[in-house]
Amino acid sequence: LTLSAVPSGAPSSPSLPLSLLPTPSPSFASSLPPSLRPPPSYPLSAFPVLMDDVAPTDELSFSQEDVTGLLKEAIESVLGGATYNHTKVPQWTSNVIEQAMQRLKAQQQPFKYIVTCVIMQKNGAGMHMATSCYWDNTSDGSATLKWDNKTMYCIATVFGLAIQ
């Protein structure tokens, strides 16, 4: 099993300043099939932003060490003494993600989170994973944990994007 990642500060490909990236025309949404169209625009006042449950911080940065610890707790709470069973994998992956999200939310940090989870049987098959992100390296970050037991691997990743 090989796990590789492009460090968040490393250049992974040529990038354009956001101001140079193409912007969809207003007619773009109307050209999509109805099932793929975004919802109509609503006034911002229709969606109040509630940040009362987020603790203010002077220095906003993603703590890879803390998040890795939370991932380990979440995985062990779900897979602790389990033996690989392909019929249970969909539920296990959902439970790992839910447990990780609950623990992240309990930290009350001003981040948006993306959590992924892969569970794979230990049978000698190879697996390669890579991630790359375009973000603010001073505040955003990611953490990946590879956990295993005698019968399976679990690889979970959290991407944390600061709300500024």
Side-chain angles (χ1 to χ4, degrees):
L1 179 70
T2 302
L3 179 64
S4 63
V6 177
S8 59
S12 59
S13 62
S15 58
L16 295 172
L18 290 178
S19 60
L20 297 179
L21 293 175
T23 318
S25 67
S27 62
F28 174 74
S30 61
S31 69
L32 294 172
S35 62
L36 297 177
R37 288 184 192 154
S41 298
Y42 292 99
L44 290 178
S45 61
F47 298 100
V49 177
L50 302 175
M51 296 294 292
D52 296 338
D53 61 340
V54 175
T57 59
D58 291 332
E59 185 177 317
L60 182 63
S61 66
F62 184 85
S63 173
Q64 189 175 25
E65 297 79 24
D66 292 346
V67 173
T68 302
L70 294 176
L71 279 174
K72 185 174 182 180
E73 291 172 8
I75 293 169
E76 288 180 350
S77 73
V78 174
L79 301 175
T83 301
Y84 184 84
N85 180 336
H86 74 279
T87 61
K88 293 183 179 180
V89 169
Q91 186 62 49
W92 286 339
T93 56
S94 294
N95 290 349
V96 168
I97 290 170
E98 288 171 16
Q99 288 286 323
M101 278 293 192
Q102 288 173 0
R103 286 171 165 76
L104 289 164
K105 188 173 186 255
Q107 296 297 305
Q108 296 185 342
Q109 296 295 315
F111 285 93
K112 292 181 183 181
Y113 295 107
I114 301 164
V115 181
T116 66
C117 178
V118 175
I119 296 176
M120 182 175 145
Q121 183 178 14
K122 272 191 178 177
N123 62 3
M127 179 179 185
H128 301 273
M129 291 180 63
T131 61
S132 179
C133 299
Y134 181 75
W135 57 25
D136 182 354
N137 289 332
T138 61
S139 58
D140 304 334
S142 67
T144 299
L145 179 70
K146 178 188 141 203
W147 177 94
D148 66 332
N149 65 15
K150 291 183 180 186
T151 62
M152 68 182 127
Y153 295 104
C154 178
I155 301 167
T157 300
V158 172
F159 299 93
L161 306 159
I163 299 170
Q164 299 180 356

